[in-house]
Amino acid sequence: MSHQGCVVWLTGLPGSGKTTIARALETELRTEGVPVEVLDGDEIRAALSPELGFSPADRELHNRRVIFLAKLLSRNGVVAVVSLISPYRAVRDAAREELGRFVEVWVKCSIEECIRRDPKGHYRRALSGQNAQMTGVQAPYEPPERAELVADTEQWSVERCVAEIRSVVAACGYLPPQGLAPRGLA
């Protein structure tokens, strides 16, 4: 069994661990010889959406740009690992509908733990009044209702998150089971 392109969509609060998991999953899949690309929300915003703010309309447009890129990659046999807050359920549902081969992973972490981690200082700025549109503080985050996996980063290690995601993607038929992955395709 060979792999097929698909989209692994990691959603969660800022600081929940999406990017760390995405990069670890990328490393794992590359090692197996699976074509993979990470679409990191911050990187794509800087490159393709620098004019956008954080209003609901701007967030939706940014998310739709990521959906477009993920579709291009996945239809060409690439596993597109999307690391994006994507706070609105309706946009994620639209991504599921449009992309088809889609695995939603809720990278779950409490707001208290995300504030404690605060790797980029976003929460510190939001709580001091310097950022009035922080997801989870002033702006809403709508948790998934039908994610294929909930990766609780307060309970699970990065390695366990990657292994569980890998297993779910394989169970969906988008990757061969562990150990049977193709080599030399990346």
Side-chain angles (χ1 to χ4, degrees):
M1 178 181 180
S2 65
H3 82 281
Q4 300 178 39
C6 67
V7 176
V8 179
W9 191 282
L10 307 178
T11 178
L13 290 169
S16 60
K18 298 177 300 299
T19 299
T20 299
I21 293 168
R23 293 297 179 196
L25 179 61
E26 175 188 36
T27 299
E28 169 97 10
L29 294 179
R30 282 197 195 283
T31 300
E32 296 177 17
V34 174
V36 58
E37 190 64 49
V38 171
L39 300 177
D40 180 78
D42 289 342
E43 291 176 6
I44 293 173
R45 179 177 283 275
L48 300 180
S49 303
E51 79 285 9
L52 297 179
F54 293 90
S55 70
D58 283 354
R59 288 175 192 259
E60 181 175 343
L61 179 56
H62 175 58
N63 282 216
R64 293 204 179 272
R65 289 175 180 173
V66 174
I67 292 169
F68 177 76
L69 290 174
K71 186 174 185 175
L72 289 177
L73 290 168
S74 65
R75 77 180 182 200
N76 285 288
V78 174
V79 176
V81 181
V82 173
S83 171
L84 189 66
I85 297 169
S86 50
Y88 304 117
R89 202 172 289 130
V91 173
R92 295 191 306 267
D93 288 346
R96 178 185 296 275
E97 177 94 13
E98 184 164 339
L99 296 169
R101 304 173 60 78
F102 182 85
V103 176
E104 185 177 37
V105 178
W106 178 17
V107 181
K108 184 180 176 188
C109 185
S110 69
I111 188 75
E112 294 80 12
E113 178 60 16
C114 291
I115 289 171
R116 189 194 67 75
R117 293 176 183 172
D118 201 13
K120 298 175 184 172
H122 294 317
Y123 287 104
R124 181 180 41 78
R125 286 190 292 281
L127 295 171
S128 69
Q130 298 175 41
N131 177 358
Q133 298 178 324
M134 179 72 181
T135 301
V137 180
Q138 298 95 349
Y141 176 78
E142 300 170 352
E145 293 180 332
R146 56 182 181 151
E148 280 74 17
L149 180 69
V150 177
D152 186 338
T153 61
E154 290 182 87
Q155 303 298 319
W156 294 1
S157 67
V158 172
E159 294 76 18
R160 179 172 177 192
C161 291
V162 168
E164 297 281 351
I165 293 168
R166 172 80 178 69
S167 178
V168 168
V169 175
C172 289
Y174 305 149
L175 288 171
Q178 188 83 33
L180 299 177
R183 293 271 174 203
L185 296 176

